[in-house]
């Protein structure tokens, strides 16, 4: 049933399909990359707009003064500042177990000393 013309036609169709597969795959990958770059560009433009707004706010003297008073507790020389401490506030503060209690160099030296001691369970 399969004639030589049909076999040659099938072979030609396969060769054409295989020759188009790689460029088609590259085209699809490039389209995906273009889409990703457009999304990144949009994020960057949003970031630039946010930074411009921040720059405008920092150029405003009233904003800078308000932030200095709120965050840094700055005051004018003739003003008196009060800090209200709630009763029992010291009890509520918990030490984070992930934070080291000693400075880094003490921890480093302790680890060197531990590494220098032989393990009694290990044999020579």
């Amino acid at each position: 049933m399969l004639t030589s013309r049909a076999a040659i036609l099938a072979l030609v169709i396969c060769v054409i399909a295989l020759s188009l597969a790689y460029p088609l795959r590259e085209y699809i990958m490039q389209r995906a990359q273009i889409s990703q770059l457009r999304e990144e560009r949009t994020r960057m433009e949003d970031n630039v707009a946010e930074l411009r707004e921040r720059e405008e706010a920092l150029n405003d003297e009233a904003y800078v003064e308000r932030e200095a008073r709120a965050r840094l507790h700055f005051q004018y020389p003739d003003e008196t500042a009060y800090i209200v401490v709630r009763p029992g506030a010291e009890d509520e503060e918990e030490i984070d177990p992930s934070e080291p209690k000693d400075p880094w160099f003490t921890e480093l030296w302790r680890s060197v000393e531990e590494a220098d001691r032989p393990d009694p369970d290990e044999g020579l």
Side-chain angles (χ1 to χ4, degrees):
M1 289 199 170
L2 187 63
T3 63
S4 62
R5 284 185 175 178
I8 291 174
L9 181 62
L11 182 65
V12 168
I13 290 174
C14 289
V15 168
I16 290 173
L18 290 175
S19 66
L20 291 177
Y22 181 74
L24 184 63
R25 186 181 74 152
E26 288 295 317
Y27 174 77
I28 292 171
M29 286 176 43
Q30 287 176 356
R31 296 301 299 174
Q33 185 178 14
I34 288 171
S35 172
Q36 181 183 10
L37 290 173
R38 284 184 178 153
E39 290 174 5
E40 184 179 346
R41 178 182 174 193
T42 303
R43 282 194 310 267
M44 291 292 183
E45 287 174 350
D46 293 342
N47 190 19
V48 166
E50 182 180 318
L51 289 173
R52 285 189 178 139
E53 290 173 6
R54 179 85 173 136
E55 180 186 21
E56 289 174 9
L58 289 174
N59 286 334
D60 183 21
E61 293 294 325
Y63 175 79
V64 172
E65 180 182 349
R66 189 171 54 247
E67 288 295 311
R69 287 175 167 271
R71 292 185 182 185
L72 304 174
H73 304 289
F74 278 16
Q75 62 189 15
Y76 287 111
D78 58 341
E79 294 179 339
T80 303
Y82 296 99
I83 298 178
V84 178
V85 179
R86 293 181 297 151
E90 297 170 359
D91 298 336
E92 293 176 6
E93 295 180 15
E94 294 182 16
I95 298 173
D96 187 11
S98 65
E99 290 185 21
K101 297 174 186 169
D102 295 327
W104 66 270
F105 48 85
T106 306
E107 293 290 329
L108 176 67
W109 186 251
R110 188 175 299 134
S111 69
V112 169
E113 288 176 341
E114 287 176 12
D116 197 29
R117 276 188 252 130
D119 191 9
D121 296 335
E122 284 186 14
L124 294 175

